[in-house]
Amino acid sequence: MKKVGIIMSVLMGVTLSFCLSLTGNLTSGEGFQLVPFLLSFAASTVISLIIGLIVPMKKVEDGAVKAMKLNERSMPANLVKALVSDLIYTPVITLAMIILVRALVMKMSHGHAQLPPFAVMFIKSLIISLVVAYIIILIVTPVFMKLSFKLAGVNPPAGKPPVDRS
């Protein structure tokens, strides 16, 4: 099961990093720019993988579901698990991306860029990222869970297909 968790962390981390980097790049007001996208994607992937390997997501998510007295395989439980994952990953990734973007813009403008205040950039980006990440997590988690079990050579639990991360 540990192998399933590692595979799941990698799949989720790369997917969230890609989607959040693309979202940030497209909502920047400058249109799609390849170099900032690639830098953002690389940095956020590293951050996501570190979070995924440090934070025991299954335990944290299961703890939240248990605290709310929800059935582990119910839709409300899936919604809570997605929210927990979103609240752990997204603020950290968003903070790092705002810092990176501000540094890049200032470097490229030789310190002459007129940027909005840090808090404004962060909060706007965080709101958008939380919504996008939540939707992505809800959509890909069941698919990646099945794939993780298959890649790890583990039979999923009997009954419904697995919907939680192990």
PDB file of all heavy atoms in Angstrom, residues 124-151:
ATOM      1  N   LYS A 124      -5.566  36.859  -4.815  1.00  0.00           N
ATOM      2  CA  LYS A 124      -6.267  36.634  -6.091  1.00  0.00           C
ATOM      3  C   LYS A 124      -5.877  35.275  -6.673  1.00  0.00           C
ATOM      4  O   LYS A 124      -6.733  34.482  -7.065  1.00  0.00           O
ATOM      5  CB  LYS A 124      -5.930  37.750  -7.079  1.00  0.00           C
ATOM      6  CG  LYS A 124      -6.555  37.556  -8.434  1.00  0.00           C
ATOM      7  CD  LYS A 124      -6.088  38.607  -9.427  1.00  0.00           C
ATOM      8  CE  LYS A 124      -6.565  38.242 -10.819  1.00  0.00           C
ATOM      9  NZ  LYS A 124      -5.865  38.984 -11.839  1.00  0.00           N
ATOM     10  N   SER A 125      -4.589  35.009  -6.707  1.00  0.00           N
ATOM     11  CA  SER A 125      -4.101  33.747  -7.257  1.00  0.00           C
ATOM     12  C   SER A 125      -4.551  32.556  -6.409  1.00  0.00           C
ATOM     13  O   SER A 125      -4.916  31.505  -6.946  1.00  0.00           O
ATOM     14  CB  SER A 125      -2.581  33.788  -7.355  1.00  0.00           C
ATOM     15  OG  SER A 125      -2.094  32.618  -7.940  1.00  0.00           O
ATOM     16  N   LEU A 126      -4.537  32.724  -5.098  1.00  0.00           N
ATOM     17  CA  LEU A 126      -4.937  31.634  -4.205  1.00  0.00           C
ATOM     18  C   LEU A 126      -6.402  31.251  -4.407  1.00  0.00           C
ATOM     19  O   LEU A 126      -6.729  30.060  -4.473  1.00  0.00           O
ATOM     20  CB  LEU A 126      -4.688  32.015  -2.744  1.00  0.00           C
ATOM     21  CG  LEU A 126      -5.047  30.943  -1.718  1.00  0.00           C
ATOM     22  CD1 LEU A 126      -4.210  29.682  -1.934  1.00  0.00           C
ATOM     23  CD2 LEU A 126      -4.853  31.485  -0.303  1.00  0.00           C
ATOM     24  N   ILE A 127      -7.267  32.233  -4.535  1.00  0.00           N
ATOM     25  CA  ILE A 127      -8.697  31.944  -4.727  1.00  0.00           C
ATOM     26  C   ILE A 127      -8.900  31.155  -6.017  1.00  0.00           C
ATOM     27  O   ILE A 127      -9.583  30.122  -6.032  1.00  0.00           O
ATOM     28  CB  ILE A 127      -9.526  33.241  -4.721  1.00  0.00           C
ATOM     29  CG1 ILE A 127      -9.532  33.839  -3.309  1.00  0.00           C
ATOM     30  CG2 ILE A 127     -10.953  32.990  -5.213  1.00  0.00           C
ATOM     31  CD1 ILE A 127     -10.064  35.253  -3.225  1.00  0.00           C
ATOM     32  N   ILE A 128      -8.305  31.635  -7.093  1.00  0.00           N
ATOM     33  CA  ILE A 128      -8.433  30.936  -8.378  1.00  0.00           C
ATOM     34  C   ILE A 128      -7.838  29.531  -8.283  1.00  0.00           C
ATOM     35  O   ILE A 128      -8.451  28.550  -8.713  1.00  0.00           O
ATOM     36  CB  ILE A 128      -7.731  31.740  -9.501  1.00  0.00           C
ATOM     37  CG1 ILE A 128      -8.477  33.051  -9.751  1.00  0.00           C
ATOM     38  CG2 ILE A 128      -7.637  30.919 -10.792  1.00  0.00           C
ATOM     39  CD1 ILE A 128      -7.721  34.047 -10.613  1.00  0.00           C
ATOM     40  N   SER A 129      -6.662  29.422  -7.690  1.00  0.00           N
ATOM     41  CA  SER A 129      -5.979  28.127  -7.585  1.00  0.00           C
ATOM     42  C   SER A 129      -6.739  27.141  -6.716  1.00  0.00           C
ATOM     43  O   SER A 129      -6.778  25.946  -7.039  1.00  0.00           O
ATOM     44  CB  SER A 129      -4.560  28.328  -7.038  1.00  0.00           C
ATOM     45  OG  SER A 129      -3.788  29.071  -7.939  1.00  0.00           O
ATOM     46  N   LEU A 130      -7.319  27.613  -5.620  1.00  0.00           N
ATOM     47  CA  LEU A 130      -8.096  26.708  -4.754  1.00  0.00           C
ATOM     48  C   LEU A 130      -9.272  26.103  -5.506  1.00  0.00           C
ATOM     49  O   LEU A 130      -9.548  24.905  -5.381  1.00  0.00           O
ATOM     50  CB  LEU A 130      -8.581  27.437  -3.502  1.00  0.00           C
ATOM     51  CG  LEU A 130      -7.537  27.661  -2.415  1.00  0.00           C
ATOM     52  CD1 LEU A 130      -8.057  28.639  -1.363  1.00  0.00           C
ATOM     53  CD2 LEU A 130      -7.112  26.356  -1.768  1.00  0.00           C
ATOM     54  N   VAL A 131      -9.954  26.916  -6.291  1.00  0.00           N
ATOM     55  CA  VAL A 131     -11.108  26.419  -7.055  1.00  0.00           C
ATOM     56  C   VAL A 131     -10.654  25.432  -8.125  1.00  0.00           C
ATOM     57  O   VAL A 131     -11.199  24.325  -8.242  1.00  0.00           O
ATOM     58  CB  VAL A 131     -11.902  27.592  -7.676  1.00  0.00           C
ATOM     59  CG1 VAL A 131     -12.973  27.083  -8.634  1.00  0.00           C
ATOM     60  CG2 VAL A 131     -12.524  28.455  -6.585  1.00  0.00           C
ATOM     61  N   VAL A 132      -9.640  25.818  -8.892  1.00  0.00           N
ATOM     62  CA  VAL A 132      -9.144  24.946  -9.967  1.00  0.00           C
ATOM     63  C   VAL A 132      -8.619  23.628  -9.394  1.00  0.00           C
ATOM     64  O   VAL A 132      -8.957  22.544  -9.879  1.00  0.00           O
ATOM     65  CB  VAL A 132      -8.049  25.660 -10.790  1.00  0.00           C
ATOM     66  CG1 VAL A 132      -7.329  24.696 -11.728  1.00  0.00           C
ATOM     67  CG2 VAL A 132      -8.651  26.817 -11.577  1.00  0.00           C
ATOM     68  N   ALA A 133      -7.802  23.708  -8.348  1.00  0.00           N
ATOM     69  CA  ALA A 133      -7.217  22.494  -7.758  1.00  0.00           C
ATOM     70  C   ALA A 133      -8.296  21.577  -7.191  1.00  0.00           C
ATOM     71  O   ALA A 133      -8.222  20.356  -7.351  1.00  0.00           O
ATOM     72  CB  ALA A 133      -6.208  22.864  -6.674  1.00  0.00           C
ATOM     73  N   TYR A 134      -9.307  22.140  -6.547  1.00  0.00           N
ATOM     74  CA  TYR A 134     -10.382  21.332  -5.972  1.00  0.00           C
ATOM     75  C   TYR A 134     -11.086  20.525  -7.063  1.00  0.00           C
ATOM     76  O   TYR A 134     -11.313  19.323  -6.917  1.00  0.00           O
ATOM     77  CB  TYR A 134     -11.373  22.229  -5.228  1.00  0.00           C
ATOM     78  CG  TYR A 134     -12.419  21.472  -4.458  1.00  0.00           C
ATOM     79  CD1 TYR A 134     -12.098  20.814  -3.280  1.00  0.00           C
ATOM     80  CD2 TYR A 134     -13.736  21.408  -4.899  1.00  0.00           C
ATOM     81  CE1 TYR A 134     -13.052  20.115  -2.561  1.00  0.00           C
ATOM     82  CE2 TYR A 134     -14.696  20.718  -4.179  1.00  0.00           C
ATOM     83  CZ  TYR A 134     -14.360  20.076  -3.013  1.00  0.00           C
ATOM     84  OH  TYR A 134     -15.303  19.378  -2.305  1.00  0.00           O
ATOM     85  N   ILE A 135     -11.392  21.184  -8.161  1.00  0.00           N
ATOM     86  CA  ILE A 135     -12.066  20.502  -9.272  1.00  0.00           C
ATOM     87  C   ILE A 135     -11.168  19.418  -9.856  1.00  0.00           C
ATOM     88  O   ILE A 135     -11.614  18.296 -10.093  1.00  0.00           O
ATOM     89  CB  ILE A 135     -12.495  21.526 -10.352  1.00  0.00           C
ATOM     90  CG1 ILE A 135     -13.604  22.424  -9.785  1.00  0.00           C
ATOM     91  CG2 ILE A 135     -12.956  20.818 -11.620  1.00  0.00           C
ATOM     92  CD1 ILE A 135     -13.889  23.658 -10.611  1.00  0.00           C
ATOM     93  N   ILE A 136      -9.897  19.742 -10.054  1.00  0.00           N
ATOM     94  CA  ILE A 136      -8.949  18.762 -10.611  1.00  0.00           C
ATOM     95  C   ILE A 136      -8.826  17.560  -9.676  1.00  0.00           C
ATOM     96  O   ILE A 136      -8.862  16.407 -10.123  1.00  0.00           O
ATOM     97  CB  ILE A 136      -7.560  19.400 -10.841  1.00  0.00           C
ATOM     98  CG1 ILE A 136      -7.633  20.527 -11.859  1.00  0.00           C
ATOM     99  CG2 ILE A 136      -6.530  18.352 -11.248  1.00  0.00           C
ATOM    100  CD1 ILE A 136      -8.115  20.141 -13.223  1.00  0.00           C
ATOM    101  N   ILE A 137      -8.697  17.821  -8.383  1.00  0.00           N
ATOM    102  CA  ILE A 137      -8.566  16.733  -7.406  1.00  0.00           C
ATOM    103  C   ILE A 137      -9.793  15.823  -7.449  1.00  0.00           C
ATOM    104  O   ILE A 137      -9.670  14.597  -7.459  1.00  0.00           O
ATOM    105  CB  ILE A 137      -8.328  17.286  -5.986  1.00  0.00           C
ATOM    106  CG1 ILE A 137      -6.955  17.957  -5.901  1.00  0.00           C
ATOM    107  CG2 ILE A 137      -8.455  16.185  -4.934  1.00  0.00           C
ATOM    108  CD1 ILE A 137      -6.752  18.820  -4.661  1.00  0.00           C
ATOM    109  N   LEU A 138     -10.972  16.411  -7.490  1.00  0.00           N
ATOM    110  CA  LEU A 138     -12.206  15.609  -7.545  1.00  0.00           C
ATOM    111  C   LEU A 138     -12.263  14.740  -8.799  1.00  0.00           C
ATOM    112  O   LEU A 138     -12.696  13.592  -8.752  1.00  0.00           O
ATOM    113  CB  LEU A 138     -13.440  16.505  -7.492  1.00  0.00           C
ATOM    114  CG  LEU A 138     -13.848  17.012  -6.128  1.00  0.00           C
ATOM    115  CD1 LEU A 138     -15.004  17.999  -6.250  1.00  0.00           C
ATOM    116  CD2 LEU A 138     -14.229  15.866  -5.197  1.00  0.00           C
ATOM    117  N   ILE A 139     -11.811  15.290  -9.907  1.00  0.00           N
ATOM    118  CA  ILE A 139     -11.893  14.567 -11.175  1.00  0.00           C
ATOM    119  C   ILE A 139     -10.850  13.458 -11.267  1.00  0.00           C
ATOM    120  O   ILE A 139     -11.171  12.322 -11.643  1.00  0.00           O
ATOM    121  CB  ILE A 139     -11.733  15.533 -12.373  1.00  0.00           C
ATOM    122  CG1 ILE A 139     -12.948  16.458 -12.451  1.00  0.00           C
ATOM    123  CG2 ILE A 139     -11.541  14.777 -13.685  1.00  0.00           C
ATOM    124  CD1 ILE A 139     -12.786  17.615 -13.421  1.00  0.00           C
ATOM    125  N   VAL A 140      -9.600  13.756 -10.938  1.00  0.00           N
ATOM    126  CA  VAL A 140      -8.536  12.784 -11.209  1.00  0.00           C
ATOM    127  C   VAL A 140      -8.271  11.772 -10.100  1.00  0.00           C
ATOM    128  O   VAL A 140      -7.696  10.718 -10.365  1.00  0.00           O
ATOM    129  CB  VAL A 140      -7.201  13.476 -11.605  1.00  0.00           C
ATOM    130  CG1 VAL A 140      -7.392  14.352 -12.824  1.00  0.00           C
ATOM    131  CG2 VAL A 140      -6.601  14.238 -10.464  1.00  0.00           C
ATOM    132  N   THR A 141      -8.691  12.060  -8.875  1.00  0.00           N
ATOM    133  CA  THR A 141      -8.390  11.135  -7.777  1.00  0.00           C
ATOM    134  C   THR A 141      -8.889   9.715  -8.033  1.00  0.00           C
ATOM    135  O   THR A 141      -8.112   8.763  -7.888  1.00  0.00           O
ATOM    136  CB  THR A 141      -8.904  11.680  -6.432  1.00  0.00           C
ATOM    137  OG1 THR A 141      -8.209  12.895  -6.139  1.00  0.00           O
ATOM    138  CG2 THR A 141      -8.682  10.690  -5.307  1.00  0.00           C
ATOM    139  N   PRO A 142     -10.161   9.516  -8.405  1.00  0.00           N
ATOM    140  CA  PRO A 142     -10.597   8.129  -8.630  1.00  0.00           C
ATOM    141  C   PRO A 142      -9.837   7.439  -9.772  1.00  0.00           C
ATOM    142  O   PRO A 142      -9.497   6.257  -9.674  1.00  0.00           O
ATOM    143  CB  PRO A 142     -12.087   8.252  -8.982  1.00  0.00           C
ATOM    144  CG  PRO A 142     -12.484   9.639  -8.632  1.00  0.00           C
ATOM    145  CD  PRO A 142     -11.254  10.466  -8.569  1.00  0.00           C
ATOM    146  N   VAL A 143      -9.544   8.184 -10.829  1.00  0.00           N
ATOM    147  CA  VAL A 143      -8.819   7.621 -11.969  1.00  0.00           C
ATOM    148  C   VAL A 143      -7.393   7.252 -11.560  1.00  0.00           C
ATOM    149  O   VAL A 143      -6.908   6.155 -11.847  1.00  0.00           O
ATOM    150  CB  VAL A 143      -8.798   8.639 -13.144  1.00  0.00           C
ATOM    151  CG1 VAL A 143      -7.930   8.129 -14.289  1.00  0.00           C
ATOM    152  CG2 VAL A 143     -10.205   8.937 -13.619  1.00  0.00           C
ATOM    153  N   PHE A 144      -6.729   8.168 -10.852  1.00  0.00           N
ATOM    154  CA  PHE A 144      -5.358   7.915 -10.427  1.00  0.00           C
ATOM    155  C   PHE A 144      -5.281   6.824  -9.366  1.00  0.00           C
ATOM    156  O   PHE A 144      -4.286   6.111  -9.284  1.00  0.00           O
ATOM    157  CB  PHE A 144      -4.697   9.192  -9.910  1.00  0.00           C
ATOM    158  CG  PHE A 144      -4.327  10.173 -10.995  1.00  0.00           C
ATOM    159  CD1 PHE A 144      -3.839  11.423 -10.662  1.00  0.00           C
ATOM    160  CD2 PHE A 144      -4.451   9.860 -12.339  1.00  0.00           C
ATOM    161  CE1 PHE A 144      -3.480  12.337 -11.652  1.00  0.00           C
ATOM    162  CE2 PHE A 144      -4.102  10.768 -13.327  1.00  0.00           C
ATOM    163  CZ  PHE A 144      -3.606  12.004 -12.981  1.00  0.00           C
ATOM    164  N   MET A 145      -6.318   6.699  -8.565  1.00  0.00           N
ATOM    165  CA  MET A 145      -6.329   5.648  -7.548  1.00  0.00           C
ATOM    166  C   MET A 145      -6.349   4.282  -8.222  1.00  0.00           C
ATOM    167  O   MET A 145      -5.568   3.393  -7.870  1.00  0.00           O
ATOM    168  CB  MET A 145      -7.532   5.808  -6.611  1.00  0.00           C
ATOM    169  CG  MET A 145      -7.568   4.781  -5.493  1.00  0.00           C
ATOM    170  SD  MET A 145      -6.074   4.676  -4.490  1.00  0.00           S
ATOM    171  CE  MET A 145      -5.988   6.300  -3.812  1.00  0.00           C
ATOM    172  N   LYS A 146      -7.211   4.114  -9.196  1.00  0.00           N
ATOM    173  CA  LYS A 146      -7.266   2.845  -9.930  1.00  0.00           C
ATOM    174  C   LYS A 146      -5.931   2.568 -10.608  1.00  0.00           C
ATOM    175  O   LYS A 146      -5.414   1.451 -10.561  1.00  0.00           O
ATOM    176  CB  LYS A 146      -8.378   2.884 -10.983  1.00  0.00           C
ATOM    177  CG  LYS A 146      -9.768   2.844 -10.413  1.00  0.00           C
ATOM    178  CD  LYS A 146     -10.802   2.938 -11.519  1.00  0.00           C
ATOM    179  CE  LYS A 146     -12.183   3.093 -10.956  1.00  0.00           C
ATOM    180  NZ  LYS A 146     -13.194   3.293 -12.011  1.00  0.00           N
ATOM    181  N   LEU A 147      -5.368   3.593 -11.240  1.00  0.00           N
ATOM    182  CA  LEU A 147      -4.088   3.441 -11.928  1.00  0.00           C
ATOM    183  C   LEU A 147      -2.967   3.108 -10.937  1.00  0.00           C
ATOM    184  O   LEU A 147      -2.117   2.263 -11.218  1.00  0.00           O
ATOM    185  CB  LEU A 147      -3.753   4.726 -12.696  1.00  0.00           C
ATOM    186  CG  LEU A 147      -2.453   4.744 -13.482  1.00  0.00           C
ATOM    187  CD1 LEU A 147      -2.433   3.630 -14.543  1.00  0.00           C
ATOM    188  CD2 LEU A 147      -2.248   6.105 -14.129  1.00  0.00           C
ATOM    189  N   SER A 148      -2.974   3.739  -9.771  1.00  0.00           N
ATOM    190  CA  SER A 148      -1.944   3.493  -8.756  1.00  0.00           C
ATOM    191  C   SER A 148      -1.978   2.051  -8.268  1.00  0.00           C
ATOM    192  O   SER A 148      -0.941   1.410  -8.109  1.00  0.00           O
ATOM    193  CB  SER A 148      -2.116   4.444  -7.570  1.00  0.00           C
ATOM    194  OG  SER A 148      -1.909   5.771  -7.972  1.00  0.00           O
ATOM    195  N   PHE A 149      -3.168   1.542  -8.016  1.00  0.00           N
ATOM    196  CA  PHE A 149      -3.295   0.144  -7.597  1.00  0.00           C
ATOM    197  C   PHE A 149      -2.764  -0.777  -8.689  1.00  0.00           C
ATOM    198  O   PHE A 149      -2.032  -1.726  -8.413  1.00  0.00           O
ATOM    199  CB  PHE A 149      -4.759  -0.203  -7.279  1.00  0.00           C
ATOM    200  CG  PHE A 149      -5.161   0.093  -5.871  1.00  0.00           C
ATOM    201  CD1 PHE A 149      -5.746   1.307  -5.536  1.00  0.00           C
ATOM    202  CD2 PHE A 149      -4.948  -0.825  -4.862  1.00  0.00           C
ATOM    203  CE1 PHE A 149      -6.108   1.588  -4.232  1.00  0.00           C
ATOM    204  CE2 PHE A 149      -5.312  -0.569  -3.552  1.00  0.00           C
ATOM    205  CZ  PHE A 149      -5.895   0.649  -3.238  1.00  0.00           C
ATOM    206  N   LYS A 150      -3.121  -0.487  -9.938  1.00  0.00           N
ATOM    207  CA  LYS A 150      -2.688  -1.323 -11.061  1.00  0.00           C
ATOM    208  C   LYS A 150      -1.165  -1.279 -11.206  1.00  0.00           C
ATOM    209  O   LYS A 150      -0.519  -2.322 -11.348  1.00  0.00           O
ATOM    210  CB  LYS A 150      -3.364  -0.847 -12.346  1.00  0.00           C
ATOM    211  CG  LYS A 150      -3.082  -1.719 -13.534  1.00  0.00           C
ATOM    212  CD  LYS A 150      -3.856  -1.250 -14.751  1.00  0.00           C
ATOM    213  CE  LYS A 150      -3.567  -2.151 -15.930  1.00  0.00           C
ATOM    214  NZ  LYS A 150      -4.342  -1.777 -17.113  1.00  0.00           N
ATOM    215  N   LEU A 151      -0.587  -0.074 -11.171  1.00  0.00           N
ATOM    216  CA  LEU A 151       0.860   0.061 -11.326  1.00  0.00           C
ATOM    217  C   LEU A 151       1.633  -0.585 -10.174  1.00  0.00           C
ATOM    218  O   LEU A 151       2.740  -1.074 -10.361  1.00  0.00           O
ATOM    219  CB  LEU A 151       1.253   1.531 -11.456  1.00  0.00           C
ATOM    220  CG  LEU A 151       0.818   2.230 -12.746  1.00  0.00           C
ATOM    221  CD1 LEU A 151       1.104   3.723 -12.678  1.00  0.00           C
ATOM    222  CD2 LEU A 151       1.508   1.600 -13.954  1.00  0.00           C
TER     223      LEU A 151
END
